[in-house]
């Protein structure tokens, strides 16, 4: 597809979070920015001037109507992921959608089904997958350096750090949830990716709100903390913790994996291994990351499957759905 | 009971692990050592000489027959905890038994029932409860400084450290299990004690063996790693990890608790809290621990409930039973 | 007073040191900048352009004549504090004057008397009082967390750091003195403020010049080092050291207070205390300071006494006068 | 004197604190231990056996009666320093007395007068003077490397550390005072020694008790904290702080001196100086100390003045007397 | 010479490396920039605009033709040093030439001979000589503080850092060599300068290429590593190591000198010495460097010999020639 | 040989340095100590008692005459290595001789020739070869992990540390030289061993005495410092520095090797390498060393070549001879 083009024509919908997408496409050698859309006119104008763009729209439908547009990034509040993604796919555009994919797995599945039906790419913006240390450890895992990975721990905790308190982030109907869906989606996805994307089969969890006083006004009907325990088909288990407010040390994001031949922690990346029968610690230097925007354009131009395909977004939503349900029922939940 | 005595007469059964008990009683101002028993004659002789003791036995029944004996410490391989404890209780002696209490909850319950029937003390040797930092944080918790504790993490992991490889430690029928029962019993108990001994209601876990090659000869039919997730009646959750061999950094034992007013990590003890609306870290200096041997004697002399009563030993066994069962069934297990 | 206004109209006299005042008023929500004055035309023009101001004067009397002016900041060499302050007060303007208040206590008293007579606010620019860590510790002190504070140490020492060598800073008739009045005023005031502003009753000190060679040309007739010992009515004592040049490690500003229940050092702020009978170190995180410019405007609008009132400026000058006199007489001096 | 002997015959009176003296003489190549005395028979016996000594006495008069005895160390509670020293001097023996020399300057003067009258050595056990770093810095000072020393700070503070609470240390009539006389005597003497033993002319101070609750039983009628400010004839000043209990960081003993050419802090020893017009920090390595016991024997054999002569002990007592008096009168006190 | 001028008129040839020269002359109080030359028009235009210059040339001969030009800096690829320097000298201009002086000693000698013949200054851009720490240690050496310097070690190693791979740096005919001539010239010169410029008499070395794969395309016919051992007439020896690629820790540039009275390492500068018979480490603070551009102008105006004269450039080339020859012959080479 | 024995019968000649040998044989499972010899009777008696030995001799010939003796360790001053080794070999005993092997290569060759003629083992006590980190890195080198090793640096430097000043160590006729033969033999051998024992072909060096004043009395006719540069047949080079007294930081012993695939530094051991195209640092944990005494016994029992054979001792002496000669002639010396 797009065989006759050298560069993919991109648009960005939502410039609050999407400014990074815009800059990513501008830097990519195989992409060109066709237009942008945002309901906030001031933000739209600001981007237009800063990046010297021509076509800007407050109504994203107009952007989607452009012929020269091949693909769009969708970086809007979570509850709008599904409708806009489906609009874009139906308009014949490939889609790179921010994480979490949707408010729940059902929505995600609908998006994925649409993409498949349309024969278009649906890529998830799992940015951590493209980090240098993650790409490096992934290579090591694929080369068998870790043996069988049977346990992982991951978390992203904050002492005090509720985003946009009282806005859409803290409103369940717009966000789908609190730190579990906001932060958990990053660290669980990254860790599962490193583990080789094992199939989740069950999850047990607890998502609760303990700091209601911090959000002074506006809606706050999501959790501020969640813990979880996930089982995978291959027997591996994963412990998870996330929070927007917790009486802990400083903010910390981490991922640890344990295999029969080696274990690792990131970031910073340290690999605990054994060489020639001797226990040894390995510290890689300066691994380089990938541009996911360059990568997305390449996948479109060469018809390849992205590193972060839509299917993995649906898996992630199933895990999150299961943890929320487990928290309500206070019992482990089977993931189909 | 024992009203007319100033000091409690103690015996110690099993001097491999029990030497610390012996020294503890010798230092306690309200205890005196009546005699000791061990099937290993060399060890018995060595202790006799080093501590200048008179009555020593290779058959513990002879020790239990002494009139001047009021209580015994039992520090033998796990599978012998139940029979010797019951013998001692039937002989009218109070018992301080090493952890884990028994091979499983059923055995533990039988021991507890016997103690109650006999009207005697059955105390568990949960030594971490008596540490200075644990006693200190316990006081803070009881004073409400942590608010509601809703989450905890605990673990004891070793890069390479399988005890007495090929001996009773690695033989399921004698030990009851691997690091979960050997190390987990320490850290889970300590953490629950700090949390205020909430009632466990469910556990999900995985106990597996991944380093079979390390134990060269002898039996090795227990796990070398376990992860678990425990739910308590009050809604709190706890993440657990233990190992004898794991590709991790160095050996580490830790416990973290999180409450609505403060959180803490030990050891070393740091308390993350908020004073006058300001986030603050509190580092207590030089907290002093208790002698559990002095304490046991006091409980006997003054008819008090020990800090580590037999009931808590049974709770612990129920949790461990549930985790092992969950590991086999690959499903969460309800704790009755 | 000023009841019918929402914002106080401010002017700034002296832009060398007063630029911070200007920026402070511009940021304050309840202040507006009416005009500025400086004898240096280039500086005046520079500020006019940078901050987009309209009314600028090389003669401060013209600024004081503006009707819409309610208050002024005076940030000029020390020997001009008194005459300009009195001019401003007589013109009916509230005054925020830089520290030290004046060349000596007599001048300071005259300024204070004038303010009282005119019924206007005279506030001292003791900026350290408004720091986050100082406000925090002050709250703790007021809440009784330190018990009785009976001893303090404070200092500001520099290995080599004589300000504006050869200019007004080193000329006694214009500055009133060297590091004692330049640096000492900061640290002594801050420490006394934390202690609860105890009344000084005696001071012993030594103010000497030991590095005459450093100031190559121009006048240098003030001390470059001073040590002092101050007694307060409540029995507390304070040790002081200040220097512009001293063979010490690096530049250091510090304040330590010692009370019967806790002690503290800043900056960084560490509190040495005792909780539940246990010695503990408390480290507050990220305390936030106050804007003294916003505060000054609030005091004017709501007729409140400032955190740093003119009276404290006079006390400070009495202490400094006493130390200088003690240095000359080589005997302790009583402070009336 | 003693010209015909190679080794001086020593005795030690008081073995609680004097054990170090005994070991010092045993190691010295020019000393031999003649006998020891202590009213505590168990301690006497213990030393006799450990060091293989022959002549031991519970009555020190018997020791003093020995012909082969040339000199004695006196290491007993402070209130006994004077009577025993005078007894020893009258018996014709040289004396090395523990610090503080006596309960006050008058007693000290009497001791000194007696020594002079008898033509015997009276040396003070100012052990810090013999430390390697102190001897080193002393050499530098004497070589003019520091220029004129015009300021010093010294202190010895403890968070919690009241010695022998309730015993003679905390009883004014036996000790002469609290940390000022117990700890202050060490650090003030050491600092003055480094400064070249300038003549003290005035002292201002405060010696107060703020932790009465710490000493549960027994007498506690001395201060637990003291601050002071000392003036010397050469214009130099010194700030002093000492405590047995203070809400400070950890125990700390320090001395800092400041001269026109260099300054220094110990321990560890760092010298802040200037070489070739460049500021530089100098860190001496491994300076070696002296044995004061070897030194005392040498002084006797060669009729030299000790490094720590009795005169300096009297000066020290005058300073301490002045600080205590200043604390009572709340005014600076002139030292005659 | 130039007696009637206050400022020297400078030109810069080659703006890639020469931009620092340009900025140096612009800051110097005794220099003025007359014009610049570069074959790269874009770079020329960029400098013209940034520094507001008037006369710019793509042909350096035109620059040399300017009457108001007194001297030039030559900062071009190594193989052009000789021809342009000789052109400039023949045009009657003083020259500051980048290091290495030329491709070999013969070329350097020719340049030097020309300068002498013309009676003009030929200065080498040995920038390290002008560093603050180097100037400081040089002063100490000259003051005899190091005694006789009999050994030195110096090096500049990089894990991975081949400059302009495939360009003139890696092409022997244009650069004269690899890291030995590129990096070695810096560190060997700096170290010899500190040692007092002893005369080299022999060199043994090895210059080899071990990472051919790193330079993907273009020419790479120089070494990527060299080690060497240099003997001086005074008996001193020096060990050298340089690399563009080496499996070492991080990039490191160092110089160590050892004398009979003191030794030193830089950077950072630490001096290991002995004071008053005590081993001591001396750390100078904030030494200030010199501007070599100001210095060059001064040498021209006052007819002085520069700190880095052309003769030293020739010595350096002789050493480098000898090391390269030694590497080929695998034998020590005598330096005439 | 010795086929019918389980254990080798050992003797030790020289107990000053040989005590470690004695303890090594006592711990080895395949060795037994037959007797010891030392000319110092007190030392002989002391060892006899401490280790409960029966046969002790002041004349080593008597020891060598014992039938049950199979082998001896020779740990005497360097000049006695040759005569005693030859006596022992002629008596039919295997020999483990301390390093350096002899006073020069000629002596060493004679010893080696004798051993070969007698068909006996001659092993060198190169203890560093048996260290855990050395054995580990050796394995890595042999597995090709370092590629081609083309450069090495090694040294052992001391700020002040002349052994047995004035005794045989500092007397050339008894020691063969100073730190080059005393310390250099350790580090050069260890480094060459790691490099795979390349054949040395030339050496350049300087061995000089710069601290004559340190050795107060007795002979001091050897160097206190040496630097050297060694070439090997395979093109590799090695830089060496050793000293007994040098104005350097602290005492330091190091070895660094650089290969085309990896480099390393010890101790502590760090390996700089590249894995999967990523630069990485590898830190092995807890490598275990070998007992060279057990190893020597094994070599005798199983007729194997020791890890440190006599041939390598001769190579080492040739290098040392060449460096000393190079120092005298001030020219590189070819090693035959």
């Amino acid at each position: 597809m797009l065989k006759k083009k050298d560069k993919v024509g991109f648009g960005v919908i939502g410039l609050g979070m999407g400014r990074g997408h815009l800059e990513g496409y501008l830097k990519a050698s195989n992409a060109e920015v066709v237009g942008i859309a945002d309901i906030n006119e001031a933000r739209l104008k600001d981007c237009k001037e800063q990046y010297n763009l021509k076509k800007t729209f407050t109504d994203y439908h107009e952007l989607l109507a452009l012929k020269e547009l091949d693909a769009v990034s969708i970086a809007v509040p979570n509850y709008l992921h599904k409708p806009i993604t489906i609009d874009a796919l139906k308009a014949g555009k490939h889609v790179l959608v921010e994480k979490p994919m949707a408010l729940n797995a059902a929505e995600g599945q609908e998006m994925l089904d649409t993409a498949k039906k349309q024969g278009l790419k649906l890529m998830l913006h799992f940015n951590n997958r493209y980090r240098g240390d993650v790409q490096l450890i992934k290579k090591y895992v694929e080369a068998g350096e870790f043996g069988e990975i049977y346990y992982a721990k991951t978390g992203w905790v904050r002492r005090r750090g509720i985003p946009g308190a009282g806005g859409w982030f803290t409103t369940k109907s717009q966000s789908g949830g609190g730190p579990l869906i906001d932060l958990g989606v990053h660290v669980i996805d990254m860790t599962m990716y490193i583990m080789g994307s094992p199939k989740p089969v069950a999850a047990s969890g607890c998502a609760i709100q303990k700091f209601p006083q911090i959000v002074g006004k506006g809606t706050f009907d999501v959790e501020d903390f969640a813990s979880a325990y996930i089982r995978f088909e291959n027997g591996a288990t994963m412990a998870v913790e996330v929070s927007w407010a917790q009486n802990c040390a400083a903010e910390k994001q981490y991922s640890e994996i344990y295999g029969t031949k080696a274990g690792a922690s990131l970031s910073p990346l340290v690999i605990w291994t054994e060489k020639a029968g001797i226990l040894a610690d390995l510290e890689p230097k300066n691994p380089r990351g990938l541009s996911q925007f360059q990568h997305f354009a390449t996948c479109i131009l060469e018809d390849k499957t992205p590193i972060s395909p839509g299917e993995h977004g649906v898996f992630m939503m199933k895990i999150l759905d299961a943890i929320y349900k487990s928290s309500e029922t206070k019992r482990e939940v089977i993931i189909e």
Side-chain angles (χ1 to χ4, degrees), chain A:
Chain A
M1 45 174 49
L2 285 175
K3 284 170 198 164
K4 290 159 196 162
K5 299 182 75 167
D6 284 345
K7 295 189 173 190
V8 180
F10 280 103
V12 175
I13 299 173
L15 296 166
M17 288 173 297
R19 193 178 283 249
H21 293 239
L22 181 52
E23 295 182 346
Y25 291 125
L26 289 169
K27 282 185 198 149
S29 63
N30 56 359
E32 85 189 319
V33 175
V34 169
I36 55 177
D38 197 302
I39 54 169
N40 182 319
E41 291 193 32
R43 197 149 57 193
L44 198 59
K45 181 163 173 261
D46 184 47
C47 284
K48 179 176 183 166
E49 290 170 359
Q50 184 179 348
Y51 302 107
N52 198 23
L53 301 175
K54 291 182 185 163
K55 301 190 179 175
T56 64
F57 310 90
T58 51
D59 180 346
Y60 71 84
H61 296 90
E62 295 178 33
L63 173 65
L64 293 178
L66 295 178
K67 277 194 181 170
E68 64 270 36
L69 185 83
D70 300 310
V72 286
S73 263
I74 296 174
V76 294
N78 301 349
Y79 70 103
L80 296 172
H81 286 182
K82 190 192 81 168
I84 301 182
T85 295
I86 288 179
D87 280 352
L89 291 168
K90 287 190 174 167
K93 314 303 182 190
H94 302 278
V95 171
L96 170 55
V97 65
E98 269 288 343
K99 86 246 120 212
M101 188 183 199
L103 295 183
N104 50 54
E107 285 192 0
Q109 190 63 49
E110 190 180 337
M111 292 155 72
L112 183 61
D113 291 345
T114 306
K116 284 187 175 164
K117 190 174 164 188
Q118 296 290 107
L120 293 163
K121 306 284 174 202
L122 176 58
M123 174 167 144
L124 264 288
H125 182 264
F126 286 141
N127 54 308
N128 285 315
R129 291 189 177 202
Y130 298 83
R131 282 168 30 190
D133 54 354
V134 173
Q135 281 299 312
L136 164 63
I137 198 174
K138 181 73 178 167
K139 270 187 210 157
Y140 280 14
V141 168
E142 287 173 351
E145 294 275 334
F146 284 84
E148 177 202 343
I149 299 174
Y150 59 92
Y151 175 54
K153 290 167 65 178
T154 192
W156 190 341
V157 295
R158 292 181 181 157
R159 196 153 177 175
R160 292 293 180 275
I162 300 187
W168 73 261
F169 270 104
T170 53
T171 303
K172 179 101 181 171
S173 60
Q174 297 184 358
S175 61
L180 180 59
I181 204 166
D182 177 41
L183 307 179
V185 74
H186 280 91
V187 293
I188 298 171
D189 176 72
M190 174 176 74
T191 309
M192 281 177 62
Y193 173 65
I194 296 169
M195 294 169 85
S197 302
K199 186 175 182 303
V201 293
S204 201
C206 174
I208 43 181
Q209 189 191 95
K210 293 294 177 185
F211 291 83
Q213 73 280 12
I214 289 184
V215 178
K217 50 189 176 181
T219 305
F220 184 21
D221 62 357
V222 296
E223 81 279 4
D224 51 29
F225 168 83
S227 66
Y229 186 75
I230 306 171
R231 288 176 189 277
F232 297 94
E233 201 174 41
N234 64 2
T237 55
M238 182 194 289
V240 178
E241 61 177 345
V242 291
S243 60
W244 279 345
Q246 189 176 356
N247 288 310
C248 58
E251 178 164 0
K252 184 177 168 191
Q253 181 187 338
Y254 67 91
S255 185
E256 298 176 18
I257 60 164
Y258 295 96
T260 49
K261 292 191 180 165
S265 175
L266 58 148
S267 296
L269 180 55
V270 181
I271 299 174
W272 303 298
T273 186
E274 196 171 343
K275 295 278 170 195
I278 305 288
L279 296 176
D281 291 356
L282 186 74
E283 292 187 23
K285 302 287 165 189
N286 312 317
R288 291 205 191 144
L290 300 177
S291 157
Q292 62 180 315
F293 305 102
Q294 179 93 24
H295 172 69
F296 186 30
T298 301
C299 289
I300 293 170
L301 290 169
E302 304 179 4
D303 194 13
K304 290 185 172 170
T305 300
I307 283 172
S308 49
E311 283 78 359
H312 289 179
V314 175
F315 270 142
M316 178 53 51
M317 291 318 302
K318 285 185 177 175
I319 291 174
L320 300 180
D321 285 2
I323 295 171
Y324 280 121
K325 187 172 168 194
S326 169
S327 183
E328 281 168 28
T329 60
K330 296 179 186 294
R331 284 291 169 266
E332 191 178 46
V333 168
I334 304 304
I335 299 170
E336 304 285 326

